Amino acid sequence: QGVEVYSYGRVIYVENAEGKTITVRSLDGRILYSGMSMAGASAAIPVNNAGIYLVTIEDATLKIMVQ
């Protein structure tokens, strides 16, 4: 099953990324979160502000909108 990234409220969720490194950055490049996803768990990463964030999982980077 593929990795899923989505937001709900001011939280970015990453699912199906067991054992992979997850990094969340603001558009200006500041690292807001960096960590490894645990087996069988979804990562829930709270952010303070609405906006666009860059979520990197291993070598792939996605843009996610937080409202």
Side-chain angles (χ1 to χ4, degrees):
Q1 205 173 31
V3 174
E4 292 182 53
V5 181
Y6 60 94
S7 68
Y8 183 78
R10 298 270 168 92
V11 180
I12 297 171
Y13 294 93
V14 181
E15 297 185 352
N16 303 320
E18 289 87 0
K20 296 182 179 177
T21 300
I22 301 167
T23 305
V24 177
R25 291 182 175 86
S26 59
L27 284 180
D28 63 5
R30 287 182 298 131
I31 295 175
L32 305 175
Y33 172 85
S34 183
M36 187 169 285
S37 182
M38 303 302 281
S42 297
I45 304 154
V47 293
N48 292 328
N49 300 308
I52 298 173
Y53 293 87
L54 302 174
V55 179
T56 303
I57 302 160
E58 297 293 319
D59 297 336
T61 300
L62 305 165
K63 287 183 183 177
I64 188 83
M65 176 67 142
V66 174
Q67 297 185 357

